[in-house]
Amino acid sequence: MVVSFAAHHVLFLVWFLPATFSLSFFFFKAESISNVSCNERDKQALLTLKRGLTDHERVLSSWSDHKDCCIWDGVLCDEKIGRVSELHLNNSKLSGEISGSLLQLEHLNYLDLSGNDFNCTPIPTFLGSMFSLAYLNLTSANFCGLIPHQLGNLSSLRYLSLGSNSDLYVDNLRWMSGLSAIQHLDLSYSDLHREVDWLQIMSKFPSLSELYLYYCQLDSLNPSLGFVNFTSLRVLHLSENHFNHEIPNWFSNLSTSLLKLFMYGNSLKGNIPPSIFNLEKLEFLDLGINSLNGPIPSSVGNLSCIRALYLDQNQLNGTIPKSLGLLSKLETLFVGKNSFTGTVDEGHFRKLSKLKKLYMSEAPLFFNVNSNWVPPFQLDYASMSSIKIGPNFPSWLQSQKSLSFLDMSMSGISGKAPGWFGNWISNITFINLSNNRIECDVSDIFLSSTVKVLNIANNTFYGPISTFLCQKKIRKNKLEVLDVSNNLLSGELSHCWKYWQSLIHLNLGSNNLVGGIPYSMGALVNLQSLRLQNNSIWGDIPSSLKKCLNLRLIDMGDNHLSVIPLWIGEITNLIVLRLRSSEFKGYIPQQICQLSSLRVLDLANNSLSGSIPNCLKNISAMALPESYDISFSYLSSFMYSYANVSYAENVQLVPKGNELEYKENLKFVRLIDLSSNNLSGSIPVEISDLFELRFLNLSRNHLMGKIPEKIGSMKELESIDFSRNHLSGKIPPSMSNLTFLGLLDLSYNNLSGRIPSSTQLQSFDSVWYIGNPQLCGDPLPKNCTIEDQSLNRSPIGSVEDDSKNSSFYIGMGAGFSTGFWAICGALYFNRTWRHAYFGFANEIKDWIYVTTMIKMNLLEKLRACLNK
Ligand SMILES: *[C@@H]1O[C@H](CO)[C@@H](O)[C@H](O)[C@H]1NC(C)=O
Ligand SMILES: *[C@@H]1O[C@H](CO)[C@@H](O)[C@H](O)[C@H]1NC(C)=O
Ligand SMILES: *[C@@H]1O[C@H](CO)[C@@H](O)[C@H](O)[C@H]1NC(C)=O
Ligand SMILES: *[C@@H]1O[C@H](CO)[C@@H](O)[C@H](O)[C@H]1NC(C)=O
Ligand SMILES: *[C@@H]1O[C@H](CO)[C@@H](O)[C@H](O)[C@H]1NC(C)=O
Ligand SMILES: *[C@@H]1O[C@H](CO)[C@@H](O)[C@H](O)[C@H]1NC(C)=O
Ligand SMILES: *[C@@H]1O[C@H](CO)[C@@H](O)[C@H](O)[C@H]1NC(C)=O
């Protein structure tokens, strides 16, 4: 379960922005229908403006010479004087040039050009001469470059919104002092880091009420200032800057009228100062996604107006204070992903009757409430994963009638689910109760058309799957994700799949399912992943599945299936095909090469015979580098997102001899595993065109002939296992180019000659070369004769890699990962460093994938570390 908080915070932003202007717009619009007539000069100025603009959607079609300009769309006039006073041209898909003719509109006080596309041109400097402007909105209009100082001349300006443009910056902000009337200032997403005195400048505006400076690359809140007098401030939004210091003392007397304070996604350190709770009118406080530590001060109970409190994703510890339970207006409480200890009980929620959203996941807390507790709240969002709630089923849930999101995965709940459970969950949109030990007969579960995600993986759900799938009361379901893997479901897959056509992700793995794959599964045309692994399913894969053209992932490993169907080549979107250990016989069909998006081909441990198709280079996803966009859409194919929460596929693979589980990092894997079959013939030379392949395992077959000469051009390879075949000839010298190789097993073949020298090939243990009686040279104990030497020379200079790092590798004399671990292992797990580069890779086992993604960074780091 991954919860995407960035998205959440952004959504949040949208709904508190004031709606006053849209209201006034309608008001003026109504008025303008009266008999005002347009000033001719204004009209000509507007027509000139129109000529300069590109009007893709013809929103300016009413702007014609024949009509009164006061009734043109987007134009409002001041009735008394018949002059144009407002231009509402927002979100109109306009581009082109903003004409200086605007200057003729001497009475214009409102100009909204937000949400258009001015193609990364600078903000016109003449706007700074439109002295009557009170409102200027250039938000999201794709302006670039320096924000013109001339804007500082607009002394009547009350609203200035320049946020969310592509690439705006300031050299300084001193020019702003002229904006003496400013009330609402939004410079978000502009680079302000060059102005160190931004705070002193902004706090001089006597009427400033709302200040939005998120994503502004600001470095400091100037903690040394004793006092900052933001007299009238009501909204302060400083999120996503780089304040990696403590919350300054001056926050406590920021402004007694402050209602909203947002500072998430900085790197704020230290404790939460109790004095911040002196801001007693606060309704929204967001200090999430920082590095704050220490406890939540109990004076948090003084925030009597607070409606949303975000303290999630910090390093806060200690127990959660009971005074939280006094915050009777609280609707949203986010405290998850912290290091809290101790117990949370009824007292913490005593007066929280308005609470709707609770995020408490991933904090080592014990949620210990009485079994007859009836909470004062009705939650709609409850994220309580990885905290201790069990062993008993949380009976208070029964009182919650409005839940749309429930995550109580990994919360230690065990034993029988209560009788009301099966019906109760039927109206929750997103359910994740995975990784508990809940016992429940699946046929007791009812799913209305509201439920989109049901993840009950790794529990003790039992009963025949057909009873569940075929129940009458479930037929109207609109389920998109069903994960019941790792339970005790039994019996044959039913013929009721036509009732489950909304399914996108289906995981029935690791149950006790038997019988064939029914033809009716072809009805699942929306399916993107089909997981049947680790059951006792037998027989043919029905050809009806070729109708499931959206399939990205097929996992049928560990069953008793028969042959790989030829039509598999028609499922052209397939990215992962895992059929290992499933008793497949016959040949690997050439059609597999039509799967140009395939990145994981795992057919290991079957009885496949014949030769390896010589067309594998057609699998372009393994042959060609890809753009960032493709990689992004690839990631999303294994990720189901609903609102701001998601479900991610996890797949078991064996990249380097050990089975590993891949989740988000699946996108870095490119693997061919054909090991432990009955394959014969030689390794097709075309395989060396798979330049993006990372893991290649052909071991334990009957392959003969030579290792392809150009294998060294597969520069991304991290692991090669050709062991236990009948390969003969020399080890190709080009292998010394494989600088990322961490595993090379050539044992038990019939290779001969000298192991190419002056490369990391010597760093591998000799066991990876044994069983080749005619192989000689380091690291094998057998010395080479003169003859061996002359036959297979690989001088230092022959490494054709011209990248600046190759000499580094050669000098290192160790396999990349070996050397890496020996020298810089500790650095690798340095927390901040790791987070900076990998974010999600929080398991040690993930690291191999991420190294390939960021290898340049890694090399720099490694070098720096070696130079110490
Ligand atoms: C400016 O325009 C944006 C986008 O159209 C809008 O969301 C925002 O509320 C406007 N700002 C003000 C102060 O009205
Ligand atoms: C803050 O500034 C306002 C006007 O700018 C002034 O009236 C007030 O006294 C100042 N407050 C303090 C505590 O200095
Ligand atoms: C700021 O607040 C602190 C305590 O919160 C108080 O002692 C101090 O007098 C205040 N300063 C001003 C200038 O208001
Ligand atoms: C609120 O603040 C006052 C001091 O200003 C303090 O005495 C009181 O204990 C606080 N209340 C809570 C619930 O912490
Ligand atoms: C199943 O859930 C338990 C917690 O109840 C967890 O410890 C275990 O790792 C999970 N197993 C799998 C395969 O996810
Ligand atoms: C292995 O393949 C050979 C021919 O390629 C065939 O004769 C033999 O029967 C196969 N063995 C098995 C166990 O499939
Ligand atoms: C091993 O390779 C040599 C040539 O290097 C060849 O003469 C010999 O027959 C091969 N042995 C086997 C068992 O294939």
Side-chain angles (χ1 to χ4, degrees):
M1 171 87 301
V2 177
V3 182
S4 152
F5 280 97
H8 154 81
H9 285 282
V10 172
L11 279 180
F12 189 70
L13 258 179
V14 177
W15 68 258
F16 74 73
L17 286 171
T20 37
F21 279 100
S22 43
L23 288 178
S24 64
F25 171 69
F26 289 116
F27 177 63
F28 279 111
K29 188 80 184 166
E31 243 189 8
S32 70
I33 295 168
S34 65
N35 50 2
V36 202
S37 69
C38 170
N39 173 290
E40 186 56 28
R41 242 179 73 178
D42 287 2
K43 183 181 206 169
Q44 291 311 320
L46 289 174
L47 287 172
T48 310
L49 175 69
K50 177 180 174 176
R51 278 194 292 275
L53 295 171
T54 313
D55 181 11
H56 303 277
E57 306 268 294
R58 295 187 44 77
V59 292
L60 304 182
S61 56
S62 63
W63 291 29
S64 83
D65 211 11
H66 317 297
K67 286 193 209 153
D68 177 357
C69 78
C70 292
I71 62 167
W72 292 356
D73 288 341
V75 179
L76 299 176
C77 291
D78 181 325
E79 220 181 329
K80 290 195 212 88
I81 51 176
R83 299 293 302 266
V84 171
S85 58
E86 304 199 4
L87 277 182
H88 297 258
L89 300 176
N90 50 311
N91 302 307
S92 300
K93 299 221 164 71
L94 296 171
S95 59
E97 197 193 335
I98 302 169
S99 165
S101 69
L102 272 182
L103 281 174
Q104 318 254 324
L105 304 174
E106 291 155 347
H107 291 266
L108 194 72
N109 62 56
Y110 187 110
L111 177 58
D112 189 350
L113 292 170
S114 65
N116 290 300
D117 182 358
F118 294 104
N119 196 24
C120 205
T121 53
I123 294 176
T125 50
F126 69 76
L127 291 178
S129 306
M130 302 194 64
F131 301 114
S132 51
L133 278 183
Y135 179 100
L136 177 59
N137 195 343
L138 305 179
T139 298
S140 299
N142 195 11
F143 284 111
C144 290
L146 184 72
I147 299 178
H149 294 191
Q150 286 82 348
L151 294 184
N153 298 336
L154 300 175
S155 55
S156 308
L157 204 60
R158 284 181 283 135
Y159 296 83
L160 177 60
S161 285
L162 306 180
S164 306
N165 277 290
S166 328
D167 210 358
L168 288 175
Y169 70 96
V170 301
D171 48 359
N172 69 67
L173 287 171
R174 290 191 297 277
W175 53 273
M176 288 203 104
S177 59
L179 297 174
S180 50
I182 200 79
Q183 295 173 6
H184 176 116
L185 180 59
D186 181 356
L187 300 180
S188 303
Y189 289 93
S190 303
D191 179 356
L192 306 187
H193 86 275
R194 289 176 187 83
E195 178 57 83
V196 285
D197 289 333
W198 65 274
L199 191 58
Q200 288 91 326
I201 290 166
M202 303 278 174
S203 61
K204 294 257 159 59
F205 301 121
S207 321
L208 190 62
S209 157
E210 301 187 19
L211 179 58
Y212 300 89
L213 299 177
Y214 49 93
Y215 281 105
C216 285
Q217 306 191 38
L218 295 169
D219 299 317
S220 171
L221 287 167
N222 215 336
S224 60
L225 286 183
F227 180 63
V228 177
N229 187 5
F230 271 120
T231 343
S232 320
L233 207 60
R234 301 173 135 250
V235 179
L236 180 58
H237 203 312
L238 296 173
S239 302
E240 306 283 5
N241 283 295
H242 314 298
F243 305 133
N244 59 354
H245 52 67
E246 302 200 350
I247 298 176
N249 285 329
W250 57 258
F251 264 92
S252 58
N253 12 36
L254 194 54
S255 156
T256 48
S257 47
L258 199 67
L259 302 180
K260 293 168 183 170
L261 176 57
F262 299 92
M263 294 211 288
Y264 64 78
N266 282 294
S267 306
L268 291 168
K269 290 198 184 75
N271 295 343
I272 303 177
S275 56
I276 203 169
F277 302 132
N278 291 353
L279 300 169
E280 52 186 28
K281 296 228 176 80
L282 270 187
E283 294 177 5
F284 295 82
L285 175 60
D286 194 337
L287 299 175
I289 324 180
N290 280 297
S291 302
L292 297 168
N293 54 35
I296 303 179
S298 69
S299 54
V300 70
N302 275 346
L303 292 176
S304 55
C305 304
I306 198 90
R307 286 163 52 200
L309 180 60
Y310 298 90
L311 302 173
D312 55 297
Q313 306 184 67
N314 278 290
Q315 290 139 37
L316 298 171
N317 52 30
T319 55
I320 296 187
K322 279 243 165 84
S323 55
L324 262 185
L326 300 173
L327 305 178
S328 59
K329 302 235 165 72
L330 201 61
E331 293 164 19
T332 304
L333 177 60
F334 273 41
V335 290
K337 280 203 185 154
N338 275 299
S339 310
F340 297 121
T341 47
T343 299
V344 169
D345 61 27
E346 293 90 336
H348 289 90
F349 300 97
R350 196 148 60 90
K351 294 191 173 166
L352 305 192
S353 59
K354 298 229 166 92
L355 195 66
K356 288 201 161 51
K357 301 196 189 315
L358 177 62
Y359 173 64
M360 213 175 231
S361 292
E362 294 180 63
L365 286 167
F366 182 27
F367 195 86
N368 183 20
V369 294
N370 215 296
S371 63
N372 53 18
W373 181 50
V374 180
F377 49 71
Q378 285 291 335
L379 297 178
D380 80 67
Y381 174 97
S383 176
M384 304 174 75
S385 161
S386 305
I387 65 176
K388 191 167 167 10
I389 294 173
N392 294 330
F393 199 92
S395 46
W396 60 271
L397 280 180
Q398 192 184 5
S399 68
Q400 301 300 299
K401 308 286 190 204
S402 322
L403 272 176
S404 62
F405 176 91
L406 174 67
D407 184 357
M408 279 196 182
S409 55
M410 228 178 287
S411 59
I413 305 171
S414 64
K416 249 194 131 28
W420 48 265
F421 171 74
N423 265 319
W424 173 81
I425 63 168
S426 72
N427 287 313
I428 304 174
T429 311
F430 192 112
I431 305 160
N432 184 359
L433 290 168
S434 63
N435 299 303
N436 286 293
R437 282 166 55 201
I438 301 170
E439 277 171 45
C440 182
D441 185 338
V442 273
S443 41
D444 290 340
I445 290 180
F446 170 43
L447 302 174
S448 77
S449 58
T450 311
V451 189
K452 288 209 155 36
V453 175
L454 178 62
N455 181 358
I456 48 173
N458 193 12
N459 276 287
T460 321
F461 284 76
Y462 56 90
I465 189 158
S466 54
T467 325
F468 171 63
L469 295 172
C470 297
Q471 303 177 68
K472 272 223 177 71
K473 59 181 183 178
I474 243 167
R475 289 189 177 169
K476 296 228 161 65
N477 83 79
K478 290 270 186 301
L479 204 65
E480 296 183 351
V481 177
L482 177 62
D483 189 342
V484 296
S485 60
N486 249 304
N487 278 288
L488 301 174
L489 303 185
S490 55
E492 298 196 12
L493 293 172
S494 75
H495 293 284
C496 295
W497 293 104
K498 61 172 179 283
Y499 305 120
W500 297 84
Q501 289 184 14
S502 307
L503 279 177
I504 299 173
H505 296 262
L506 173 63
N507 193 343
L508 304 177
S510 301
N511 280 287
N512 300 328
L513 305 176
V514 296
I517 301 173
Y519 194 83
S520 67
M521 279 195 110
L524 302 177
V525 291
N526 293 308
L527 212 56
Q528 291 186 10
S529 50
L530 173 57
R531 319 279 311 276
L532 301 173
Q533 72 282 358
N534 199 15
N535 280 291
S536 300
I537 293 168
W538 51 265
D540 288 333
I541 304 177
S543 62
S544 61
L545 287 187
K546 72 180 167 196
K547 287 185 271 176
C548 307
L549 286 174
N550 286 310
L551 275 172
R552 309 284 201 274
L553 189 165
I554 293 180
D555 186 354
M556 297 187 177
D558 300 284
N559 281 294
H560 314 288
L561 298 166
S562 58
V563 295
I564 303 176
L566 304 187
W567 52 258
I568 195 88
E570 295 174 34
I571 306 184
T572 49
N573 289 317
L574 208 58
I575 297 169
V576 174
L577 180 60
R578 182 181 182 275
L579 301 177
R580 66 184 290 127
S581 309
S582 232
E583 300 175 20
F584 281 99
K585 290 167 280 293
Y587 299 100
I588 302 176
Q590 294 271 337
Q591 282 80 351
I592 235 159
C593 304
Q594 296 164 16
L595 300 174
S596 59
S597 303
L598 201 66
R599 287 147 179 264
V600 173
L601 175 61
D602 186 352
L603 308 178
N605 204 16
N606 284 297
S607 303
L608 296 166
S609 53
S611 53
I612 299 174
N614 58 10
C615 54
L616 289 176
K617 68 171 178 195
N618 294 344
I619 304 182
S620 50
M622 300 201 206
L624 304 172
E626 72 202 340
S627 68
Y628 171 79
D629 291 357
I630 292 173
S631 149
F632 190 76
S633 65
Y634 168 78
L635 175 67
S636 61
S637 19
F638 298 131
M639 193 92 128
Y640 169 91
S641 295
Y642 165 76
N644 53 17
V645 293
S646 56
Y647 165 87
E649 291 289 347
N650 60 339
V651 179
Q652 263 83 26
L653 297 171
V654 187
K656 293 193 178 184
N658 295 313
E659 182 159 282
L660 300 176
E661 184 179 289
Y662 293 94
K663 227 169 167 172
E664 288 85 349
N665 50 2
L666 191 57
K667 73 165 172 169
F668 301 118
V669 182
R670 290 183 191 67
L671 169 149
I672 293 181
D673 190 348
L674 307 178
S675 62
S676 301
N677 276 290
N678 184 24
L679 297 170
S680 52
S682 57
I683 302 177
V685 291
E686 295 85 356
I687 209 165
S688 49
D689 288 341
L690 298 179
F691 300 122
E692 297 293 313
L693 197 66
R694 283 161 198 202
F695 306 100
L696 176 59
N697 190 346
L698 305 177
S699 67
R700 292 167 199 266
N701 280 293
H702 306 295
L703 299 170
M704 294 177 302
K706 291 180 156 186
I707 297 176
E709 214 47 56
K710 289 188 181 154
I711 191 163
S713 55
M714 301 169 76
K715 294 248 167 75
E716 302 292 329
L717 276 176
E718 291 175 39
S719 155
I720 297 174
D721 190 349
F722 291 163
S723 65
R724 294 180 197 265
N725 279 292
H726 311 298
L727 299 172
S728 55
K730 313 280 182 269
I731 298 178
S734 76
M735 267 203 166
S736 52
N737 292 355
L738 299 176
T739 41
F740 289 101
L741 212 52
L743 183 147
L744 172 66
D745 192 348
L746 301 176
S747 61
Y748 301 101
N749 278 289
N750 184 23
L751 297 165
S752 55
R754 185 189 182 89
I755 297 172
S757 57
S758 309
T759 73
Q760 82 218 51
L761 297 183
Q762 270 67 44
S763 74
F764 296 112
D765 195 290
S766 61
V767 299
W768 307 123
Y769 298 103
I770 60 169
N772 293 286
Q774 299 179 63
L775 208 54
C776 64
D778 195 22
L780 285 171
K782 186 184 171 200
N783 287 330
C784 297
T785 63
I786 303 286
E787 197 181 75
D788 292 326
Q789 306 249 23
S790 62
L791 280 172
N792 195 358
R793 189 183 293 276
S794 167
I796 295 178
S798 77
V799 177
E800 56 194 41
D801 185 350
D802 57 0
S803 93
K804 61 184 169 144
N805 295 299
S806 54
S807 60
F808 169 69
Y809 280 111
I810 293 163
M812 205 160 89
F816 173 71
S817 44
T818 323
F820 176 77
W821 279 110
I823 303 159
C824 284
L827 172 75
Y828 210 89
F829 291 101
N830 171 294
R831 197 184 158 280
T832 41
W833 194 76
R834 197 186 70 191
H835 275 229
Y837 290 97
F838 323 25
F840 52 81
N842 45 22
E843 297 281 307
I844 292 175
K845 68 191 179 195
D846 297 340
W847 82 270
I848 26 180
Y849 300 97
V850 189
T851 54
T852 60
M853 173 181 72
I854 52 148
K855 61 192 159 211
M856 293 325 289
N857 296 327
L858 205 89
L859 289 172
E860 310 290 12
K861 289 277 170 187
L862 194 51
R863 199 179 301 208
C865 150
L866 286 169
N867 289 341
K868 253 186 208 150

